[in-house]
Amino acid sequence: MFFDEVIGQTRAKRILERLLISGRLPHALLLHGPEGIGKKAMAIRIAMAVNCLTSEVDPCGACNACRKILALGHPDLTVLYPRPATAKPEEEADLMRAMAENPYRVSQPARNLTIPMPKKRAQELRRRAALRPFEAKRKVILIFDVDYMPDTVNALLKTLEEPPNEMLFVLTTSRPGSVLPTILSRCQPLGLGRLSAEDIEQVLLGQGEAGVERARLAAKLADGNLTRAYEMLDSGDLEQGRDAAFEFLRISLEGTSVQALEWAESCVKNKKNRSPEQFMKWMLLWIRDAFLQLQGIPDGATNFDRTTDVVWLAGMVDDRTVEHVLSETEVALERIARNVNLQLVLLHLMSVLSKNR
Ligand SMILES: [Zn+2]
């Protein structure tokens, strides 16, 4: 199969395969799609595909060109990515190594990070772009998370428009709406989609990242984002998030209002490790499991390893409650997105749950 090392993305692979076979690959591609789905991995494979010494379409991964590009150490490959202006050379080297080792593991940079492009570096980039390739068939410039680096791309705009010597640009972004129109208009877009839970589970198992149960849980919760699945497993958020959400439901359904208040307070204090969205998602999954239990179809449960808790929860709610909680959680997520105080949102949800007793 074409581009085997890139997980899923059958549609994008088919399109790329056709473009490569027919020799119509555009000189600038913009890979876009949600976070953690393999845009960087795909970009690296495209650089290999146009330079592989043994295949025109399906990079072998073993030839000299493929291996150098995989290690992000090819003299004709330039990789530009957002990092703070204060990043030390060792830190940059570490990030490049991590990216080469497993691009899916490298998280999106912090939202507020924008990267200035010093004039000298821009000149150097343009100068290098104008040179013929040292040893590659085509020089390749990869620009990851391009929406963070308007200066970088502006400095290269002319080159992007008319790349010399068959140079290939592959840009990636998870926020195509934030990419400058001048860049969008010069690239052919190619959309990548979320990964399936099955694919994520298989990857985690295959790489020995987790046992069967944890791999399945992380895959179900990751929302098609493999980077997030790794993060959840590494941080212990998988277990803590789930426990916290169950505790929230337990206190809401059988605790006193004082206990509810205390819990909401402590949750807000501890929230540094846990995103409210993730927390809500866990809660929805618990409720969904209770619903399946009520319907007599418990096999599809996410919390398949916590049957006692699911059965207890199902005994505490009915169909009407489930419906109510689902719609209220949607509202809560919107409020959180609008930066409404998390404690207030939680207390409101608790009162909705306790009224349904
Ligand atoms: Zn090769």
Side-chain angles (χ1 to χ4, degrees):
M1 180 63 192
F2 180 61
F3 281 16
D4 265 348
E5 298 294 311
V6 178
I7 301 153
Q9 310 301 353
T10 323
R11 178 186 158 272
K13 285 178 188 172
R14 252 202 317 265
I15 294 173
L16 280 169
E17 188 174 27
R18 273 205 304 268
L19 290 171
L20 284 163
I21 288 175
S22 63
R24 284 187 292 112
L25 191 73
H27 66 258
L29 274 168
L30 176 68
L31 306 181
H32 62 92
E35 293 173 32
I37 58 168
K39 296 183 294 294
K40 293 190 199 74
M42 187 72 104
I44 294 168
R45 258 55 183 204
I46 296 171
M48 285 162 70
V50 297
N51 277 306
C52 179
L53 302 172
T54 62
S55 163
E56 294 284 309
V57 178
D58 199 357
C60 72
C63 72
N64 200 27
C66 278
R67 277 190 290 116
K68 281 184 182 171
I69 293 172
L70 259 183
L72 303 180
H74 196 294
D76 292 310
L77 176 74
T78 305
V79 184
L80 303 172
Y81 51 93
R83 69 244 188 251
T86 53
K88 298 193 186 82
E90 318 77 272
E91 290 168 337
E92 286 196 34
D94 281 350
L95 186 60
M96 282 293 260
R97 232 186 331 268
M99 212 128 62
E101 202 173 298
N102 183 354
Y104 290 89
R105 262 216 127 100
V106 177
S107 322
Q108 184 106 351
R111 289 267 145 146
N112 51 7
L113 188 68
T114 49
I115 316 302
M117 181 71 149
K119 234 190 187 137
K120 244 177 107 186
R121 176 136 166 79
Q123 280 167 352
E124 165 67 11
L125 267 175
R126 278 194 297 264
R127 194 186 61 78
R128 273 176 53 187
L131 294 174
R132 296 201 143 275
F134 292 109
E135 53 178 80
K137 294 191 229 170
R138 286 179 79 171
K139 290 175 86 143
V140 182
I141 296 191
L142 304 180
I143 310 181
F144 294 148
D145 293 307
V146 61
D147 47 292
Y148 286 79
M149 304 188 287
D151 285 359
T152 302
V153 193
N154 269 335
L156 288 171
L157 218 50
K158 272 251 148 39
T159 319
L160 183 61
E161 192 158 46
E162 286 172 34
N165 304 317
E166 296 217 12
M167 172 186 279
L168 172 70
F169 277 88
V170 186
L171 283 51
T172 74
T173 180
S174 51
R175 301 182 295 180
S178 307
V179 179
L180 298 174
T182 44
I183 298 166
L184 285 178
S185 65
R186 286 166 170 83
C187 298
Q188 179 163 324
L190 179 62
L192 273 59
R194 287 182 200 283
L195 303 176
S196 72
E198 291 76 23
D199 279 347
I200 293 183
E201 184 180 339
Q202 286 312 311
V203 171
L204 297 175
L205 281 174
Q207 294 174 343
E209 288 288 336
V212 178
E213 287 190 2
R214 291 187 85 220
R216 191 181 307 171
L217 277 176
K220 278 195 182 222
L221 208 68
D223 202 17
N225 177 336
L226 179 54
T227 313
R228 186 183 297 163
Y230 284 132
E231 280 167 4
M232 279 192 293
L233 287 169
D234 291 346
S235 66
D237 225 23
L238 191 62
E239 288 76 13
Q240 286 162 18
R242 170 161 79 154
D243 290 347
F246 184 77
E247 192 58 10
F248 172 82
L249 288 165
R250 195 188 62 74
I251 290 174
S252 304
L253 289 164
E254 67 169 19
T256 65
S257 49
V258 174
Q259 283 171 319
L261 197 65
E262 281 173 0
W263 193 91
E265 261 171 25
S266 75
C267 181
V268 171
K269 271 190 205 131
N270 292 328
K271 91 170 184 192
K272 63 179 189 317
N273 310 318
R274 197 182 303 131
S275 88
E277 289 85 2
Q278 204 70 40
F279 175 82
M280 294 292 163
K281 203 152 171 205
W282 261 128
M283 205 185 78
L284 284 175
L285 286 170
W286 277 113
I287 293 284
R288 181 178 162 275
D289 285 356
F291 177 73
L292 291 174
Q293 183 73 33
L294 286 170
Q295 303 295 310
I297 37 172
D299 285 354
T302 302
N303 299 289
F304 53 86
D305 55 336
R306 298 268 296 263
T307 317
T308 319
D309 291 332
V310 173
V311 171
W312 175 83
L313 192 58
M316 296 296 285
V317 295
D318 54 24
D319 289 358
R320 200 175 54 87
T321 316
V322 170
E323 229 172 86
H324 202 151
V325 171
L326 291 179
S327 63
E328 284 294 335
T329 311
E330 295 282 323
V331 176
L333 278 169
E334 275 167 34
R335 286 185 179 145
I336 288 168
R338 290 206 317 269
N339 277 325
V340 175
N341 181 308
L342 178 64
Q343 199 171 356
L344 286 180
V345 173
L346 287 175
L347 282 172
H348 176 72
L349 261 177
M350 281 175 154
S351 79
V352 170
L353 277 158
S354 64
K355 263 187 216 119
N356 276 290
R357 270 188 251 183

